[in-house]
Amino acid sequence: MAEASSGTPAAASRTGGPDPAALLAWYDRHRRRLPWRAEPGLRADPYHVFLSEIMLQQTTVKAVGPYFGAFLARWPSVSHLAAAPLEEVLSAWAGLGYYARARNLHACAKAVVDRHGGRFPDAEAALLDLPGIGPYTAAAIAAIAFDRPASPVDGNIERVISRLYAIGEPLPGAKGAIKARAAALTPPDRPGDFAQAMMDLGATICTPKSPACSLCPWMEPCVARAEGDAARYPVKAPKGEKPRREGAAFLAVRADGAVLLRTRPDKGLLAKMTEVPSTPWDSRAGAKAPARAEDHAPFPTRWRAVPGAVEHVFTHFALTLKVLRADLPAATPAPDRHRWVRPEGFGREALPSLMRKVLAHGGVE
DNA sequence: CATCCGTGGGG
DNA sequence: TCCCCAAGGAT
């Protein structure tokens, strides 16, 4: 066991396996500079690591950048974030998607303050107990922020490991084997850098479609590369069809420019986010005698169809939304649980991208 | 273990 | 155009 885990090039050539030191050397030369990362050799702020890791879940580095900066400027510490109203966190998060992350981010900040005195725990198990922090994020924070011997496995690392060892079992079944391989490779001295090195390798060299194997520090030990087609890993289970739903949104616009909005329910899709009132979204297959859209209108008036429609794709279904617009006097009152909001106030609303599309399609803003 | 949960960009 | 994907978690 001791010889297999020694990270010297000699040991690697003896065993034929990948050498962690080779990857770390590559990382020291080619690491990405990212807003949440510390300078080489320094340890990143746990709050920065936490915030970035939550934002980066299923989300690209490019998309996260502006949000990370805005959050850090507005809430410089976990205590500031914990003290913020949830509505403000949601409106700041609007557009980034997966809004349960924002709710959990806020709940987690409060838990860190309440249960840990405002300091993040450094133990993986304690991190795992926090809302919104799962196996990946717990290991990532432990390794990156505290240099604890943890082995986070994200999509990048799944891809790198599955190619390195040519793991033919499809995901997600292969996750256990991949995690075991990753843990076995993790060097005890630089676990945080090693995790980030694997992610950088996956993001810049060992990419999903056409990996740049000739530039890879692990080209020689990579079994998939030796087979000749690294891109066929990781093997994944086939995906099902994406159903389609449709509905209509009611864009009521007052003479003073205010638009009628409301807050979505506490659970489910876009929970607690702001929406333009709309009909339920029905799957078009089973709807044979759909009720008239006007039956779901916030109030009876002359609704006029805006030409065209809004198309939006969620993770598990695609949506076509017609927009019905009505122009009303400035004195029109808001129905129960609705509110009038002028465009200057949109920035304080938790408007998801779909609702931005609806507003734009209806000629607002 | 399967499903739900957003969004925007790239091949 | 369409499909895939991006530092996953909760239930």
Side-chain angles (χ1 to χ4, degrees):
Chain A
M1 209 50 86
E3 56 189 311
S5 66
S6 70
T8 66
S13 65
R14 215 186 312 126
T15 61
D19 176 15
L23 180 64
L24 285 168
W26 172 85
Y27 180 69
D28 289 336
R29 285 180 50 89
H30 301 290
R31 58 178 291 178
R32 289 177 293 173
R33 312 292 294 239
L34 300 170
W36 41 88
R37 280 190 176 168
E39 294 302 305
L42 299 181
R43 195 172 285 181
D45 184 321
Y47 173 60
H48 297 188
V49 176
F50 159 70
L51 183 58
S52 66
E53 289 299 342
I54 301 299
M55 288 183 166
L56 286 163
Q57 289 169 6
Q58 298 293 285
T59 307
T60 58
V61 165
K62 180 182 179 184
V64 165
Y67 285 85
F68 178 80
F71 267 68
L72 210 54
R74 189 161 173 183
W75 300 295
S77 75
V78 67
S79 305
H80 293 266
L81 183 59
L86 175 59
E87 295 71 31
E88 291 188 15
V89 176
L90 289 178
S91 68
W93 193 279
L96 199 53
Y98 284 145
Y99 298 101
R101 292 184 297 169
R103 288 179 265 127
N104 287 142
L105 179 84
H106 186 246
C108 184
K110 291 207 281 191
V112 167
V113 169
D114 292 344
R115 300 171 11 197
H116 300 284
R119 298 179 66 86
F120 280 88
D122 63 352
E124 209 172 330
L127 288 162
L128 198 50
D129 270 338
L130 269 9
I133 296 186
Y136 163 76
T137 305
I141 295 174
I144 298 170
F146 299 107
D147 224 26
R148 304 266 300 192
S151 301
V153 177
D154 73 331
N156 288 306
I157 296 177
E158 281 180 354
R159 188 168 57 253
V160 170
I161 295 290
S162 66
R163 288 174 179 171
L164 214 42
Y165 298 99
I167 295 175
E169 182 187 2
L171 287 170
K175 279 197 169 191
I178 291 173
K179 291 191 79 162
R181 292 289 198 177
L185 275 178
T186 301
D189 54 330
R190 296 176 66 186
D193 281 347
F194 185 72
Q196 294 178 94
M198 296 254 278
M199 293 188 237
D200 279 16
L201 188 71
T204 64
I205 303 289
C206 195
T207 55
K209 309 216 172 173
S210 51
C213 295
S214 63
L215 302 178
C216 182
W218 277 346
M219 180 177 75
E220 294 192 17
C222 182
V223 180
R225 162 68 175 172
E227 288 179 357
D229 185 17
R232 84 178 186 89
Y233 298 98
V235 181
K236 295 188 176 179
K239 312 197 168 184
E241 289 300 289
K242 182 163 294 193
R244 182 166 288 280
R245 300 182 194 176
E246 58 186 16
F250 299 95
L251 187 60
V253 184
R254 256 179 9 185
D256 62 350
V259 175
L260 192 68
L261 300 176
R262 67 184 178 191
T263 300
R264 290 177 60 84
D266 289 349
K267 297 179 189 277
L269 188 71
L270 304 176
K272 297 186 180 182
M273 301 296 285
T274 301
E275 72 171 352
V276 176
S278 80
T279 66
W281 302 341
D282 297 317
S283 65
R284 69 169 46 151
K288 25 185 175 296
R292 286 166 44 77
E294 279 79 357
D295 293 345
H296 299 278
F299 44 66
T301 186
R302 178 187 174 90
W303 298 99
R304 308 193 55 136
V306 177
V310 169
E311 298 288 342
H312 194 75
V313 180
F314 292 100
T315 305
H316 53 296
F317 68 93
L319 177 67
T320 301
L321 215 47
K322 303 260 188 204
V323 178
L324 304 177
R325 173 168 172 153
D327 291 273
L328 302 146
T332 308
D336 192 32
R337 289 185 300 279
H338 291 65
R339 58 186 179 274
W340 293 104
V341 180
R342 288 193 290 179
E344 311 89 82
F346 289 172
R348 287 184 297 280
E349 292 289 340
L351 282 167
S353 292
L354 166 63
M355 298 304 160
R356 293 273 182 190
K357 288 186 188 175
V358 169
L359 292 168
H361 188 74
V364 177
E365 272 198 311

